[in-house]
Amino acid sequence: MMRVQVLPLAAILVVVVAGCASTPAGPPAGAASPETSPTPTPVPPFDGPVLTLVAKTQEFQQTELTALAGTPFRIMFENADTNLAHNVTIMPVGVERPVGEDVPGFLFKGEIIHGGTRAYDVPALATGMYQFFCLPHANMNGILTIE
């Protein structure tokens, strides 16, 4: 009697396991498929002044920027050169631009990006003239006036 009850249960298990094995596995629920890209991270809110700076054809489209002294500000940086890596680095005017990425003296150094837009939150700076430049490209530079 017990033998009769075990065989039907075993037969059901074989059918269920075989059915699962032949079903193609898909991505986990909520995972992006290989054909789509994940949603970009939203830009966090910012209550201070926002400056726009665009890198295109290996040049900054704006070579003069102005911000208020003692006030943090945001640079919305767009790298329109999708095949080149750019960033924004800030130092006082008259200070020799160092060579390399990991050297002291930068007042601000934004992450190097390969295309797209990045929000750089710059700390408050004192009144004066500053140079901004792209760390990978010496010819990309401009003047930031803090008044």
Side-chain angles (χ1 to χ4, degrees):
M1 190 104 170
M2 186 177 273
R3 191 177 188 116
V4 173
Q5 291 176 348
V6 172
L7 287 177
L9 180 57
I12 291 171
L13 287 175
V14 167
V15 170
V16 169
V17 170
C20 289
S22 65
T23 304
S33 68
E35 296 84 30
T36 62
S37 59
T39 304
T41 304
V43 175
F46 186 77
D47 290 333
V50 178
L51 308 177
T52 300
L53 184 61
V54 177
K56 184 176 181 183
T57 61
Q58 202 169 342
E59 295 180 330
F60 286 127
Q61 300 301 293
Q62 301 79 12
T63 57
E64 295 181 12
L65 300 174
T66 303
L68 296 174
T71 304
F73 59 95
R74 173 174 279 175
I75 297 175
M76 286 304 298
F77 176 60
E78 178 188 351
N79 180 357
D81 290 334
T82 56
N83 60 335
L84 296 172
H86 298 305
N87 82 328
V88 177
T89 306
I90 300 172
M91 292 183 65
V93 166
V95 174
E96 186 176 336
R97 180 178 165 170
V99 177
E101 288 186 41
D102 298 320
V103 294
F106 299 133
L107 297 175
F108 175 82
K109 183 178 87 170
E111 177 185 354
I112 295 173
I113 62 171
H114 298 270
T117 301
R118 182 66 41 105
Y120 292 141
D121 292 338
V122 181
L125 297 173
T127 301
M129 302 283 282
Y130 299 85
Q131 58 184 320
F132 66 89
F133 53 88
C134 173
L135 198 55
H137 301 104
N139 64 306
M140 294 177 64
N141 51 65
I143 296 294
L144 169 65
T145 303
I146 303 295
E147 32 183 61

